[in-house]
Amino acid sequence: MIFFHSFSRPAVALFCGLLAASLSACGDGGKETAGQVRAAPVITARVALRDVPRTLDAVGNVQAAASVAVKPQVGGQITQVPVSSGQDVLKGQVLFQIDPRPYEAAVREVEARLLRNRVLLKKAEEDQARFSRLVRQDAISREQYDQAVANANSQRALVAQDQASLASAKLQLEYATIKAPVSGRIGEVFLDEGNVVKPNDERTLLVINTLAPAKISFAVPERYLPEIMAQFHLGPIAVTATPEGFTKTASTGRLSSIDNAVDVTTGTIKLEATFDNKDLKLWPGQFARVTLDLATIPDALVISASAVLEGIIGQYVYVVDAEDKAQVRPVKARFITENEMMVEDGLKEGERVVLDGQLNLAAGVPVVERRADGSPANAPSGKPDGAGAE
């Protein structure tokens, strides 16, 4: 009241008019700001429909088809080592020669004993035949005849024993020549010529690994077991392996076995694949990326994996509608490759989904197409660059 009384009535009227105009201008300006929503730049792609090969990826460990640690079965001095480290050998090839002379002498000794006992057996059989005639003529007692029969049987037992001893002696002699039990490649030769070994020595002379074929052991989550089992019973399942360091080459094999139990610690099932490995790209102990090829899924909806987001509602994507506005669409998707996902529910063929720029989006926000380098691009609807902005 004091303020208004200090000025004349015309001045007060002018001041009130200016204040009302200012407030009106502020109100109109706020309405314009609220109505202008900047279009979010995004990269989109359309949902594709195609046949999808069902694959599972894992990391496996290469193993030799056979790995044998060669150890001596008899004792003696090593007199020959006709192989060297890293050499390829065939089954039956000589690896080591242990001094055979003690075993050759043992064979000759048993052979001589067997010869003597065979002569004694012949004499005992002749005595038994003669005593058989005499006992029927009552020329000798029954007791003498029984003794002749016992002597003949005893000599037969000695001959059988000598035959077994001879077989054992020959086997010991054979063990003195150590041969390759499998074909493959030798690792390091641990003992050289001149070393002395004991019977059933714990020391390993060398290790032979069969490189071709090769095996790869890997594990997949147990949830895939029913699908793998069903396909395994229908026919061979192809497996592709890419060893570390050989990113441009891959070996193809087949699934050869499924473990008989799920690992309760990791919740995975162990699988094994066999590869011809004629090019020797797979090496025992090596790690390899493994792809298991299951049945092909026809007419599957496929989108880039970058389009699928995870939130409170689960998996979802942003779909661009006919008015170039973003809409949230819950989906159910799963990986089929490292960069692609198959959509089981929530999308249709040809719909536009946002691949990049989702951080600036919400339901109803207008979008504008841009290229990967950030430059604007014409929207699929045919509108000029910037279409969709208010």
Side-chain angles (χ1 to χ4, degrees):
M1 297 297 293
I2 297 174
F3 179 83
F4 288 114
H5 282 294
S6 302
F7 297 92
S8 62
R9 183 172 297 178
V12 172
L14 178 62
F15 176 79
C16 291
L18 291 174
L19 181 60
S22 176
L23 291 175
S24 176
C26 291
D28 292 342
K31 184 179 297 183
E32 290 177 5
T33 301
Q36 292 179 349
V37 178
R38 183 180 297 274
V42 296
I43 298 176
T44 67
R46 294 191 180 275
V47 180
L49 183 68
R50 69 170 188 265
D51 294 345
V52 172
R54 183 76 174 94
T55 61
L56 294 177
D57 294 327
V59 176
N61 182 253
V62 181
Q63 301 173 353
S67 183
V68 180
V70 177
K71 297 182 179 182
Q73 294 176 280
V74 296
Q77 186 180 44
I78 298 175
T79 58
Q80 295 180 35
V81 184
V83 294
S84 57
S85 299
Q87 178 181 335
D88 290 324
V89 295
L90 298 175
K91 182 178 181 179
Q93 185 173 336
V94 176
L95 305 176
F96 295 89
Q97 179 64 62
I98 297 174
D99 187 359
R101 291 174 296 176
Y103 304 102
E104 292 171 345
V107 169
R108 290 194 296 270
E109 179 183 355
V110 176
E111 286 177 337
R113 188 168 64 245
L114 176 61
L115 180 60
R116 182 195 65 184
N117 285 330
R118 279 176 172 169
V119 171
L120 294 176
L121 173 60
K122 183 178 180 181
K123 176 64 170 61
E125 289 175 340
E126 290 174 350
D127 289 345
Q128 179 183 348
R130 186 174 63 256
F131 280 28
S132 177
R133 292 192 300 269
L134 293 174
V135 75
R136 288 196 298 268
Q137 299 171 2
D138 291 331
I140 60 173
S141 65
R142 183 72 182 182
E143 182 179 356
Q144 290 176 304
Y145 171 73
D146 291 342
Q147 184 61 47
V149 172
N151 289 339
N153 290 335
S154 177
Q155 285 304 128
R156 290 190 187 94
L158 288 175
V159 169
Q161 182 180 4
D162 290 341
Q163 289 174 333
S165 298
L166 180 59
S168 177
K170 288 183 176 179
L171 186 59
Q172 297 295 303
L173 177 59
E174 184 179 338
Y175 285 157
T177 303
I178 302 176
K179 300 179 180 180
V182 296
S183 298
R185 179 164 295 188
I186 295 173
E188 180 181 356
V189 178
F190 297 111
L191 291 181
D192 300 319
E193 182 179 335
N195 284 277
V196 177
V197 294
K198 300 180 295 183
N200 298 313
D201 202 318
E202 289 298 321
R203 290 178 295 177
T204 298
L205 302 178
L206 54 81
V207 176
I208 301 176
N209 284 335
T210 301
L211 304 181
K215 300 183 294 184
I216 295 184
S217 177
F218 58 100
V220 298
E222 62 178 309
R223 65 178 178 273
Y224 298 116
L225 180 58
E227 189 174 356
I228 295 172
M229 289 290 292
Q231 188 64 27
F232 189 72
H233 291 306
L234 291 176
I237 299 178
V239 180
T240 303
T242 305
E244 293 292 338
F246 294 87
T247 54
K248 294 183 179 180
T249 60
S251 300
T252 302
R254 61 180 180 82
L255 185 66
S256 54
S257 69
I258 302 173
D259 202 3
N260 60 357
V262 173
D263 189 325
V264 296
T265 303
T266 61
T268 58
I269 182 71
K270 185 178 179 181
L271 308 177
E272 189 173 88
T274 302
F275 298 79
D276 291 337
N277 199 33
K278 293 180 180 179
D279 53 6
L280 299 183
K281 291 178 181 177
L282 301 177
W283 211 255
Q286 194 176 37
F287 287 97
R289 298 181 181 276
V290 179
T291 300
L292 189 68
D293 295 329
L294 300 177
T296 299
I297 303 173
D299 298 332
L301 295 173
V302 180
I303 60 174
S304 172
S306 62
V308 182
L309 306 176
E310 292 280 350
I312 298 177
I313 62 174
Q315 293 179 318
Y316 68 97
V317 298
Y318 281 107
V319 177
V320 179
D321 60 18
E323 298 179 356
D324 287 334
K325 292 184 179 181
Q327 302 297 339
V328 177
R329 185 78 59 80
V331 295
K332 184 179 180 182
R334 57 177 175 172
F335 281 100
I336 52 174
T337 68
E338 185 177 353
N339 300 316
E340 289 186 320
M341 299 188 77
M342 181 184 70
V343 179
E344 297 178 348
D345 188 30
L347 291 176
K348 297 179 181 179
E349 180 186 8
E351 288 188 300
R352 283 193 293 160
V353 294
V354 178
L355 307 184
D356 187 62
Q358 295 99 320
L359 292 178
N360 299 320
L361 296 183
V365 172
V367 300
V368 59
E369 288 278 357
R370 67 175 176 84
R371 297 187 179 94
D373 60 3
S375 61
N378 291 335
S381 60
K383 295 181 180 180
D385 292 344
E390 293 289 332

